[in-house]
Amino acid sequence: MKSVNSLVLEDLIFDYVSSSPPQSFILYAGAGAGKTHTLHQVLNKIKEDILLSLGRENKKLAVITYTNAACDEIKERVNFDNNFFVSTIHSFAWSLISPFTKEIKDIIKENLKEIINEEEKALKKSRDLNNKTSIGRQERIRKSLKRLSSLESTRCFNYNPNYSNVEESSLEHSEVIDIFSKLLVEKKSFRKILVNKFPILFLDEAQDTYEKVIDALVQTQIEFHSQFVIGLFGDNMQRIFTNNKKDLSKFIPENWKRPEKIENWRCPKRVVTLINKVRFDADKFQQESKVNHNGFARCLIVDTNKPNLDKLLVEDEICKTMREITNDDKWNIRSEIKTLILEHHMAATRSGFHKFYKPLYDSALRSKLSAADTQSLRFLVGTFCEFINSVKSKNNFNIIRILRSSSDIFLDFSTVEDQLSYLKNIRDKKNELFDLLMDSSNSIKIILNYIYQTNLLNIPPLLIQALILDNYAVDADSSSSELIAYSQALDAKIDQLFKYASYIDGSSAFDTHQGVKGLQFERVMAILDDDEAGGFLFNYDKFLGIKSLSDSDKKNEAQGEDNALSRTRRLFYVICSRAEKSLAVVCYTKNSELLKGKLIEKEWFDESEIHLI
C-alpha cells in the first residue's frame, strides 16, 4: 500500500480512472481520514476533465453510498450534475433491474416455490397443525400461493427504496438486492448494460455493501477490465453488518491499486493514540492525528458488585468528573454529550423501548433492527408512525395524503354511488382511531388491529399474520420465529414504537456505532456493559482481557472468521473514533482491579487516566 497526501491522492485516483485501460482501486483509510472529502474532490476533478465525454456517449459515473443523506450531500457537492448517478445501493439496483419484468417474475417464482416447499415439509413433521407455528406456516404458504398466482397478471413491478412495499406487485428491499446480484452473475447481457451505462462506479462505505453485490461487481470488473473501473472507499475496521465481505482488501484482485490515507483530521492526539492501540492487533494500520491539540481520554471503571447501583446516576457523576478533568463546562450539559453504547439491546433498555425491541432482538431479526431493515419494521416506523402522528395532531391534509398513497380505501372511490356517506364513514373511522390513541394503555397491536379491521392502511403480510394468529396458543418450540417475535413485540405500548423510531433515526439521547458512522461529536461517553447488552455477538470482558476466550473463539480467530472479539473491537473503535475533544470510556465490571491492570498492560490508558468508581 502507498500512503500519500490528500492533494496527490486525488490526482492519483483521477489517473486510475482516466488511464487506458482504467485501474480499479480500494482506498485504505481509518476513521476521520476524510474519505468522503477525497471522494468529493475526485468527483469534481472528473467533472472538470472527463465527465463531458461520458455524457456525449450517454454514459454516467455512478456513486453508491450508504444513506439518502449522504446521497444528498454528494449531489450538492457536484452541483446536481445529471452526469453523476448518485444513489443508495437499493435505488441503484432498482434502476437497472426495473425493465426486466420477465426475469424478475422467474426469480420470484423460483423463490416462492422454494418457500412453499420448505413450509409444506415442515408442516408434515408438525405434531399439531393448530398451534401458532403451524398456523403461521399455513398463512405463509397461502400468501406465497396468492403472490404466485398474481404474478401471471403482473405487467410491471413497483419499488420504493424509502418505504415499506406491501402491494403484491411491489418488491421488498431484500428482493431487489437478490435479483440484482443474480442477474449480474447469470446474465452477460445484464453485465453489459451495467458496464455500458456506468463505466465508472464508486462505492462509498464499501465495507458495508452486501457481500453478494460486491462479489458480482468484482467479477464483472474482471470480465470487463478494460471498460469498467470500480473505486472502493471504506474501512474494514468500521464494518458493521454481517452480510458483507470480511476483508475487502484480501478479496479484490491483486492488480487493483491500494493507496493509503493515514491522516486523522477528526480526533485529537490522545484519542488517536488510543484507537491505534485498539486497532493494531486487527490489521496494524496506524493513523497520525492532524488536530492541533492533545485532547482527553479517560477510562472510568464502575464496580457492579455494589448494591442498588443506579447506572444513569453514576453516569451523571462521571460527567461531572469529566468536567473537572477537561475544564470544559459543557460536560455538565447532557445535550452536549453523545452517549454511545456498543449494543442496541442497551439502547432499548435505557431509552424505554425494551418490550417492543427484545422479542425482535431475540429472533432472527436481530441484524435487521439497526436500520429497521424489513418490510414490517419499515412500515411500523414509517407509514404507521406518520399516520398515527397525523391522526393525533388532527392533520387532515396529511391523513388524506397517507390514505391515498398507502391504502386501498380510495382505490375505487370514483365508482362509489354515495361518496358523501363514504367519506363520512372514513371520518368516523379516523375519529374512533383518535379515541383509541388517547388511551395511553393501548398496545401497538390494538391500534394496528383496528387499522387492519377498518382497512385504513395496507399492512405487510407478516404483521397481518401476527394479528390473525394472536388468538392461538404459543408453541414452546416456536419462540425464535419471526412471526412470534412480531406478535410479542406488538404487545408493547404504542409509545415504545415511537421511541424505537426516534432511536434509529438518530434523534435519541443514546446511539450505537451503527447510528453514528461518519459522524463526530466534541464530547463522547462510550458505555461498555456486558450484563446490560444481553447478547452473544459482542463481549467486552473477552475483548478487554478479563475473561478467557472459548474454544470456539480461538478456532474462529485462527481461521480468520468473524467472532465476538473482532466484532467488539470494531464497535469500540468506531465509537471511540467519534470524539473531537474528549472521550470517557465507562466500563461496568465485577473485576475492577483486574480490568485496570489489563488496560495498563495493553497501554490503552496510563494509571493516572483510570478512575475506579
Side-chain angles (χ1 to χ4, degrees):
M1 283 184 247
K2 181 180 179 183
S3 178
V4 291
N5 66 52
S6 296
L7 292 176
V8 173
L9 178 62
E10 291 156 15
D11 289 335
L12 200 60
I13 292 176
F14 175 79
D15 288 342
Y16 296 156
V17 173
S18 59
S19 62
S20 183
Q23 296 175 300
S24 293
F25 66 91
I26 177 171
L27 174 60
Y28 207 84
K35 295 184 294 295
T36 303
H37 175 75
T38 297
L39 171 60
H40 293 163
Q41 294 303 107
V42 170
L43 291 177
N44 281 319
K45 190 168 182 59
I46 290 173
K47 179 179 179 178
E48 293 172 4
D49 293 332
I50 65 174
L51 199 63
L52 191 61
S53 61
L54 280 180
R56 290 195 193 103
E57 299 174 10
N58 200 26
K59 302 176 187 291
K60 295 188 178 185
L61 186 156
V63 184
I64 299 173
T65 191
Y66 191 71
T67 64
N68 287 325
C71 288
D72 292 341
E73 183 182 357
I74 292 173
K75 288 175 184 177
E76 187 175 350
R77 292 293 186 101
V78 296
N79 294 320
F80 302 95
D81 192 321
N82 285 329
N83 289 310
F84 292 105
F85 187 90
V86 184
S87 74
T88 61
I89 183 60
H90 291 88
S91 296
F92 178 76
W94 175 241
S95 74
L96 287 162
I97 70 171
S98 55
F100 289 82
T101 300
K102 180 184 179 301
E103 288 78 5
I104 294 174
K105 277 188 182 183
D106 291 342
I107 293 172
I108 293 176
K109 281 180 184 177
E110 184 180 331
N111 292 342
L112 288 172
K113 288 177 181 178
E114 187 175 337
I115 289 170
I116 293 167
N117 186 47
E118 288 177 357
E119 297 294 359
E120 286 178 341
K121 282 182 180 178
L123 280 174
K124 288 179 181 178
K125 297 177 182 178
S126 177
R127 290 171 293 181
D128 182 2
L129 294 179
N130 292 315
N131 66 31
K132 199 164 186 177
T133 303
S134 295
I135 295 295
R137 293 192 189 282
Q138 292 168 36
E139 181 65 13
R140 196 175 184 202
I141 290 172
R142 187 186 71 79
K143 290 288 184 184
S144 297
L145 287 170
K146 182 181 178 184
R147 192 180 184 200
L148 198 57
S149 175
S150 72
L151 285 176
E152 299 303 322
S153 59
T154 300
R155 294 186 177 183
C156 63
F157 291 91
N158 303 310
Y159 174 69
N160 188 323
N162 300 316
Y163 297 98
S164 172
N165 297 277
V166 299
E167 292 80 12
E168 288 180 353
S169 61
S170 296
L171 298 180
E172 295 184 27
H173 306 289
S174 58
E175 287 179 321
V176 168
I177 296 300
D178 290 342
I179 293 166
F180 172 74
S181 304
K182 194 174 182 66
L183 289 178
L184 203 53
V185 168
E186 296 180 358
K187 290 193 172 292
K188 185 165 186 174
S189 59
F190 188 75
R191 296 195 293 276
K192 285 183 176 180
I193 290 172
L194 168 65
V195 171
N196 289 332
K197 196 169 184 178
F198 303 110
I200 304 172
L201 175 63
F202 288 165
L203 277 81
D204 195 16
E205 304 291 357
Q207 75 279 356
D208 281 316
T209 301
Y210 295 93
E211 180 173 15
K212 61 182 71 174
V213 171
I214 289 287
D215 284 342
L217 287 173
V218 169
Q219 291 307 310
T220 301
Q221 192 280 328
I222 292 172
E223 181 180 3
F224 296 94
H225 59 275
S226 62
Q227 304 160 252
F228 183 47
V229 59
I230 297 176
L232 303 181
F233 295 76
D235 177 17
N236 262 348
M237 198 63 186
Q238 297 183 69
R239 180 165 61 89
I240 290 174
F241 301 111
T242 56
N243 55 5
N244 41 38
K245 279 294 179 188
K246 296 177 180 63
D247 192 341
L248 276 176
S249 61
K250 292 181 180 177
F251 167 72
I252 61 173
E254 289 185 5
N255 64 345
W256 281 33
K257 298 297 182 179
R258 291 168 166 80
E260 273 187 358
K261 193 172 187 182
I262 65 171
E263 302 94 342
N264 185 313
W265 299 93
R266 175 193 301 146
C267 303
K269 293 177 174 56
R270 178 62 191 91
V271 174
V272 170
T273 299
L274 172 62
I275 62 176
N276 279 344
K277 292 284 186 182
V278 170
R279 181 167 191 156
F280 186 79
D281 288 340
D283 60 12
K284 297 183 171 51
F285 183 76
Q286 302 287 275
Q287 289 184 285
E288 295 177 2
S289 175
K290 294 298 182 180
V291 177
N292 60 8
H293 59 90
N294 196 58
F296 298 89
R298 294 291 187 273
C299 184
L300 303 107
I301 301 176
V302 184
D303 183 0
T304 56
N305 293 303
K306 294 178 179 178
N308 303 317
L309 183 68
D310 186 330
K311 294 178 180 178
L312 294 180
L313 188 59
V314 167
E315 288 159 25
D316 283 340
E317 292 300 316
I318 287 172
C319 290
K320 294 176 183 176
T321 300
M322 288 300 295
R323 186 256 170 259
E324 296 301 319
I325 292 169
T326 63
N327 198 30
D328 180 356
D329 289 337
K330 289 187 177 180
W331 269 102
N332 282 337
I333 307 172
R334 286 310 294 261
S335 61
E336 295 290 337
I337 303 159
K338 193 65 174 178
T339 302
L340 302 181
I341 44 192
L342 274 68
E343 228 286 338
H344 297 292
H345 191 278
M346 296 167 65
T349 301
R350 289 160 176 265
S351 297
F353 56 90
H354 187 257
K355 186 173 181 181
F356 171 77
Y357 191 86
K358 188 177 187 303
L360 303 173
Y361 179 91
D362 290 340
S363 74
L365 294 164
R366 178 178 299 196
S367 64
K368 309 286 188 180
L369 287 169
S370 64
D373 193 18
T374 72
Q375 182 191 52
S376 296
L377 284 173
R378 282 180 182 256
F379 169 80
L380 287 171
V381 302
T383 303
F384 180 74
C385 279
E386 186 182 6
F387 186 61
I388 295 304
N389 276 332
S390 299
V391 172
K392 288 174 72 174
S393 62
K394 298 186 177 181
N395 185 338
N396 290 326
F397 177 82
N398 214 35
I399 290 169
I400 296 299
R401 182 188 64 78
I402 295 169
L403 290 177
R404 288 192 178 279
S405 63
S406 304
S407 168
D408 291 336
I409 206 161
F410 284 117
L411 190 61
D412 299 315
F413 183 67
S414 61
T415 64
V416 173
E417 290 185 9
D418 189 348
Q419 293 184 341
L420 190 61
S421 295
Y422 190 82
L423 291 172
K424 183 179 180 298
N425 181 253
I426 294 174
R427 184 195 65 191
D428 292 342
K429 291 177 180 179
K430 178 201 68 174
N431 291 339
E432 287 178 26
L433 177 58
F434 178 85
D435 292 339
L436 282 175
L437 293 171
M438 291 303 98
D439 184 350
S440 60
S441 66
N442 280 333
S443 66
I444 304 166
K445 186 173 287 177
I446 288 173
I447 303 300
L448 189 63
N449 191 57
Y450 178 81
I451 289 174
Y452 171 62
Q453 296 295 339
T454 54
N455 199 33
L456 283 171
L457 293 176
N458 293 334
I459 299 173
L462 194 58
L463 293 180
I464 295 175
Q465 291 177 56
L467 295 174
I468 291 173
L469 302 178
D470 191 43
N471 294 325
Y472 291 85
V474 177
D475 178 10
D477 296 330
S478 66
S479 58
S480 63
S481 74
E482 291 186 17
L483 180 61
I484 301 299
Y486 276 116
S487 180
Q488 293 174 347
L490 295 177
D491 284 329
K493 299 289 190 298
I494 192 80
D495 70 303
Q496 293 214 13
L497 176 60
F498 282 94
K499 288 175 180 176
Y500 168 67
S502 171
Y503 168 67
I504 63 170
D505 75 8
S507 56
S508 168
F510 300 95
D511 217 332
T512 62
H513 66 298
Q514 286 99 332
V516 298
K517 184 168 70 170
L519 303 180
Q520 53 202 36
F521 312 94
E522 292 187 347
R523 287 155 290 277
V524 170
M525 181 187 293
I527 309 292
L528 284 66
D529 187 346
D530 270 342
D531 289 339
E532 197 174 333
F536 60 86
L537 289 176
F538 315 105
N539 193 298
Y540 318 123
D541 282 352
K542 288 181 181 180
F543 171 60
L544 297 172
I546 60 176
K547 184 177 179 180
S548 299
L549 298 181
S550 66
D551 290 340
S552 177
D553 293 327
K554 292 174 183 177
K555 180 181 177 182
N556 286 333
E557 273 206 297
Q559 295 178 349
E561 296 293 328
D562 211 16
N563 55 77
L565 200 66
S566 59
R567 284 190 292 267
T568 308
R569 184 187 305 278
R570 294 198 304 270
L571 270 61
F572 187 57
Y573 175 86
V574 169
I575 286 180
C576 291
S577 62
R578 302 306 99 190
E580 293 179 286
K581 288 186 176 180
S582 50
L583 168 69
V585 178
V586 180
C587 302
Y588 289 97
T589 181
K590 297 186 187 312
N591 302 291
S592 298
E593 290 293 344
L594 177 59
L595 176 55
K596 178 180 177 180
K598 289 291 184 181
L599 291 172
I600 294 172
E601 181 185 321
K602 290 173 177 285
E603 298 182 351
W604 288 9
F605 295 94
D606 295 333
E607 186 167 7
S608 62
E609 296 176 319
I610 300 175
H611 303 259
L612 299 182
I613 298 174

